[in-house]
RNA sequence: GGGCGCGUAGCUCAAUUGGCAGAGCAAGUGACUCUUAAUCACUAGGUUGUAGGUUCGAUUCCUACCGCGCUCACCA
């Protein structure tokens, strides 16, 4: 005997109301609405709209019936507005016209999507309302909404069913809308500067362009193992080889690694390639991009991030990784000559894992001691060549490369470099970095001979930026958790007992291993 | 992956040392023509995440598992 969760009874009660509507000749799910006005527009322009006929539509969020009169609020994407119903004023149930009359308002539930035609007016208490003349059911809702006063508080439910959170807390709609406008403005900025946007493959025969553990997948039609992209830059460089000079993609990235407040397995980046320029061009481009987005999408230039006021107006600090590390730790890694010496200094800083090179020791020291201190937008350049196989070495000191990372509020917000376009050097560095036994371990990506072949043909001096969309969104929307700027964050799949009962998921009990 | 914490009705939360699992909202029935967390009366709603164990008795104590969070490690 299956257990029937109480939710099923609530749902069945609403299903009965849907059936009752059909018995009256009313479709609980008609095709379209005749809405003429949004809630906010009526509230903002009451003076000119008073006594005017309007048709509004939205989700019924509250319902207060008292005899021959009833009040409710509907919520649309602009806000909410009160509806006033009177028994004598409301058109009776009319199957031909699709109207729901006052005699049948018991078939309404909070959560239903309804449409009301009426005139704009004020109640005796002074609230701007629509005085209803006709009522249409647009969508019968079958499940109860979160509690109207406290909303949705359970973190897991918020993340799994974000739509419930945005219904209960409409200001969240604005947050995610801001993220959308942010991406729009970033596109506008790049289009205005002459960049062309390309689609690059998400399913790739090899993964490359970064160091990360990939997701593996299988393409049935080709009988081939493939990977989800960890980066798109090897394809952008092929576009430069093809003859384009300014390209970008807003790509999806998949990295099979840890999850925390600033890492999500699936994320997005604006990745550009600009020919005939080097990384200094990109320093200016990135600063301008962030300023443009801040002003155009958010209308301000300073943001509260992790308890700090971050100012995007002032010229950003530019400092080499060696200098930044020396300022904080007092250690000048550029003067060290042996790996043992570098590791000894690293141990002094409390980092005990021995690094294979001076350059990698510098990076560890930087990550451990310096990153968190970079609050205002800072461009840290001159990365060790050991961790930058795709970047061009600096002419004045080939231990370091023409590369910079963006740090804001202690968080890395983008990686940028002058592309290594010397095919022989690229191959040599790559070969040295890649160890076949580390395949798919995240140590380094495999050799991509097709890419090397394209580089053999020669690309102009080229440079690219890669600011992360989610981290930009976190900063500009002043959120501290990447899960709060991703509408559909990654969660383990679950199936509730209620849904098993409602949808008749068969075999759930049968699939349990039999006790024997 | 390690450590710590959390999981009670659709939602938000209670439950004294281990002693009858409760409330508000939502739901059902009825009353109510200016409410807005409407009000009033009545009704219903629970395998306390899952599975075991200890006990006369478990929401409570123990073990394992599932999910989520925090944190460390790894990474970007």
């Amino acid at each position: 005997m299956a257990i029937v969760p109480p939710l099923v009874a609530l749902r069945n009660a609403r299903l009965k109301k849907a059936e009752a509507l059909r018995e009256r000749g009313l479709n609980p799910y008609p095709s379209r609405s005749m809405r003429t006005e949004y809630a906010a527009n009526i509230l903002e322009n009451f003076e000119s709209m008073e006594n005017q006929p309007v048709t509004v539509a939205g989700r019924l969020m509250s319902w207060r019936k008292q005899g021959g009169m009833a009040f409710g609020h509907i919520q649309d994407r602009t806000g909410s507005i009160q509806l006033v119903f009177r028994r004598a004023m409301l058109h009776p149930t009319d199957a031909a016209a699709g109207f729901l009359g006052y005699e049948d308002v018991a078939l309404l539930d909070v959560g239903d999507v309804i449409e009301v035609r009426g005139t704009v007016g004020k109640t005796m208490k002074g609230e701007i309302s629509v005085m209803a003349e006709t009522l249409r059911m647009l969508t019968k809702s079958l499940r109860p909404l979160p509690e109207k006063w406290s909303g949705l508080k359970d973190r897991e439910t918020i993340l799994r069913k974000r739509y419930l959170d945005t219904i209960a807390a409409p200001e969240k709609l604005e947050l995610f809308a801001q993220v959308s406008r942010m991406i729009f403005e970033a596109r506008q900025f790049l289009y205005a500067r002459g960049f062309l946007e390309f689609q690059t493959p998400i399913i790739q025969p090899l993964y490359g362009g970064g160091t990360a553990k990939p997701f593996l997948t299988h393409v049935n039609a080709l009988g081939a193992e493939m990977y989800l992209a960890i980066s798109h830059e090897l394809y952008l460089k092929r576009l430069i080889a093809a003859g384009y000079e300014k390209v970008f993609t807003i790509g999806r990235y998949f990295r099979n690694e840890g999850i925390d407040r600033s890492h999500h397995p699936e994320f997005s980046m604006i990745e550009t390639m600009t020919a005939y320029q080097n990384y200094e061009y990109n320093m200016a481009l990135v600063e301008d991009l962030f300023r443009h987005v801040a002003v155009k999408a958010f209308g301000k230039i300073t943001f509260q991030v992790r308890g700090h006021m971050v100012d995007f107006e002032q010229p950003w600090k530019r400092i080499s990784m060696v200098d930044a590390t020396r300022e904080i730790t007092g250690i000048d890694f550029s003067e060290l000559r042996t790996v043992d010496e570098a590791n000894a200094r690293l141990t002094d800083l409390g980092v005990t894992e021995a690094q294979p090179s001076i350059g990698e020791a510098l990076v560890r020291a930087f990550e451990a001691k310096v990153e968190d201190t970079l609050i205002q937008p800072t461009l840290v350049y001159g990365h060790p060549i050991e961790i930058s196989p795709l970047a061009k070495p600096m002419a004045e000191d080939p231990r370091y490369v023409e590369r910079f990372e963006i740090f804001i509020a202690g968080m890395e917000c983008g990686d940028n470099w002058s592309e290594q376009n010397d095919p022989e050097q690229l191959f040599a560095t790559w070969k040295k970095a890649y160890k076949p036994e580390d395949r798919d371990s995240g140590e380094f990506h495999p050799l991509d001979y097709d890419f090397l072949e394209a580089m053999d043909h020669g690309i102009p001096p080229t440079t690219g930026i890669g600011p992360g969309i989610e981290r930009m969104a976190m900063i500009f929307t002043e959120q501290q958790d990447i899960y709060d700027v991703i509408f559909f964050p990654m969660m383990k799949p679950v199936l509730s007992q209620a849904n098993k009962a409602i949808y008749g998921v068969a075999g759930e009990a049968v699939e349990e291993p039999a006790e024997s």
Side-chain angles (χ1 to χ4, degrees):
Chain A
M1 186 65 184
I3 306 146
V4 179
L7 175 62
V8 176
L10 293 176
R11 189 170 181 273
N12 284 341
R14 290 178 174 227
L15 281 170
K16 271 187 193 161
K17 293 181 184 179
E19 194 48 43
L21 288 167
R22 289 193 181 93
E23 284 166 3
R24 287 159 175 73
L26 299 174
N27 180 359
Y29 303 97
S31 173
R32 63 173 296 189
S33 168
M34 307 305 260
R35 171 163 65 186
T36 62
E37 293 296 338
Y38 287 109
N41 194 42
I42 295 171
L43 298 180
E44 286 162 16
N45 300 294
F46 173 74
E47 305 299 327
S48 60
M49 298 183 76
E50 188 171 14
N51 298 322
Q52 296 299 307
V54 294
T55 303
V56 293
R59 191 180 296 276
L60 185 65
M61 299 303 289
S62 65
W63 180 248
R64 298 173 295 281
K65 181 170 177 283
Q66 37 186 333
M69 191 168 193
F71 301 86
H73 279 87
I74 54 162
Q75 182 169 292
D76 64 27
R77 71 165 170 80
T78 69
S80 68
I81 189 164
Q82 181 167 265
L83 309 175
V84 178
F85 302 88
R86 283 174 189 273
R87 180 179 284 143
M89 292 275 293
L90 193 66
H91 196 291
T93 295
D94 182 333
F99 295 149
L100 186 65
Y102 201 88
E103 66 273 28
D104 289 320
V105 288
L107 302 178
L108 279 181
D109 281 295
V110 169
D112 291 346
V113 181
I114 60 172
E115 175 191 282
V116 160
R117 194 186 72 210
T119 57
V120 176
K122 273 188 183 174
T123 60
M124 285 169 68
K125 294 285 173 62
E127 178 163 352
I128 297 170
S129 307
V130 175
M131 308 301 172
E133 290 161 11
T134 68
L135 166 65
R136 289 176 68 217
M137 174 69 76
L138 293 182
T139 302
K140 185 68 199 162
S141 169
L142 300 182
R143 301 208 186 201
L145 288 176
E147 206 269 326
K148 61 185 169 189
W149 194 244
S150 54
L152 199 54
K153 290 194 171 162
D154 181 66
R155 180 69 172 162
E156 182 174 353
T157 309
I158 289 172
L159 297 178
R160 288 187 188 277
K161 304 171 188 177
R162 184 82 74 180
Y163 53 90
L164 287 180
D165 192 35
T166 55
I167 291 170
E171 67 275 11
K172 297 282 184 65
L173 282 179
E174 177 56 18
L175 189 155
F176 290 103
Q178 283 180 337
V179 175
S180 177
R181 287 194 286 271
M182 181 192 85
I183 296 169
F184 170 79
E185 285 300 341
R187 273 206 173 90
Q188 293 290 101
F189 173 86
L190 290 170
Y191 286 155
R193 299 219 171 188
F195 285 84
L196 296 176
E197 182 172 6
F198 281 83
Q199 301 298 320
T200 48
I202 280 173
I203 299 174
Q204 303 180 356
L206 289 169
Y207 59 99
T211 56
K213 297 189 188 73
F215 286 93
L216 187 61
T217 188
H218 183 83
V219 180
N220 291 339
L222 301 180
E225 299 300 306
M226 292 211 180
Y227 299 92
L228 301 188
I230 64 163
S231 168
H232 293 266
E233 78 164 77
L234 302 189
Y235 290 92
L236 292 173
K237 284 181 191 169
R238 287 173 171 99
L239 289 167
I240 299 297
Y244 300 104
E245 297 188 1
K246 283 182 165 182
V247 297
F248 79 101
T249 191
I250 296 183
R252 309 289 299 163
Y253 297 70
F254 305 88
R255 300 190 178 179
N256 209 342
E257 295 170 346
I259 296 175
D260 61 35
R261 275 180 171 157
S262 58
H263 295 83
H264 190 264
E266 176 177 359
F267 64 103
S268 312
M269 269 202 273
I270 302 166
E271 202 163 352
T272 73
M273 283 291 161
T274 307
Y276 302 97
Q277 296 287 357
N278 74 0
Y279 74 120
E280 290 176 314
Y281 168 89
N282 275 338
M283 288 184 166
L285 187 73
V286 159
E287 281 193 34
D288 290 346
L289 170 66
F290 274 71
R291 278 198 202 96
H292 174 92
V293 167
V295 171
K296 294 286 186 178
F298 298 91
K300 55 182 181 174
I301 199 72
T302 59
F303 295 83
Q304 183 83 27
V305 187
R306 295 183 175 179
H308 303 280
M309 284 308 295
V310 173
D311 185 357
F312 289 98
E313 182 62 71
Q314 59 191 4
W316 296 8
K317 186 177 177 183
R318 300 180 182 190
I319 188 168
S320 75
M321 186 177 285
V322 166
D323 288 345
T325 306
R326 192 184 56 230
E327 275 187 12
I328 298 292
T329 68
I331 301 168
D332 188 340
F333 278 84
S334 70
E335 291 184 344
L336 303 180
R337 290 293 171 263
T338 68
V339 179
D340 288 344
E341 198 179 355
N343 277 321
R345 304 310 302 270
L346 207 50
T347 306
D348 296 342
L349 297 176
V351 181
T352 52
E353 306 88 28
Q355 300 297 314
S357 68
I358 299 172
E360 279 150 290
L362 166 61
V363 172
R364 284 291 292 137
F366 176 80
E367 288 172 350
K369 297 295 174 186
V370 184
E371 274 192 18
D372 288 345
T373 70
L374 303 174
I375 303 303
Q376 295 305 316
T378 304
L379 304 176
V380 176
Y381 62 88
H383 293 55
I385 193 166
E386 291 90 344
I387 63 158
S388 313
L390 299 177
K392 185 172 283 196
M394 288 180 160
E396 59 272 27
D397 189 343
R399 292 179 296 172
Y400 307 105
V401 296
E402 294 190 0
R403 173 182 179 185
F404 70 95
E405 286 180 300
I406 307 156
F407 289 93
I408 299 166
M411 190 165 61
E412 197 227 302
C413 291
D415 205 350
N416 321 257
W417 56 70
S418 303
E419 306 300 335
Q420 173 57 279
N421 64 342
D422 176 337
E424 283 190 298
Q425 286 298 318
L426 186 60
F427 179 55
T429 310
W430 210 339
K431 209 170 174 182
K432 194 175 162 191
Y434 175 60
K435 303 180 189 69
E437 64 271 22
D438 290 337
R439 186 182 176 90
D440 300 352
S441 72
E443 289 301 315
F444 203 74
H445 54 81
L447 291 161
D448 183 338
Y449 298 108
D450 283 339
F451 171 72
L452 289 170
E453 179 181 342
M455 293 303 100
D456 275 354
H457 287 286
I459 62 170
T462 296
T463 184
I465 63 170
I469 296 276
E470 289 78 9
R471 291 186 180 179
M472 284 177 75
M474 286 170 69
I475 288 163
F476 288 128
T477 62
E478 306 182 334
Q479 297 298 311
Q480 305 202 7
D481 192 329
I482 199 166
Y483 270 52
D484 288 323
V485 297
I486 298 173
F487 200 96
F488 303 108
M490 189 176 287
M491 303 289 281
K492 278 206 182 186
V494 294
L495 179 57
S496 69
Q497 292 296 329
N499 278 351
K500 284 182 191 174
I502 288 167
Y503 300 117
V505 179
E508 283 298 317
V510 181
E511 280 172 320
E512 294 292 323
E515 301 294 333
S516 59

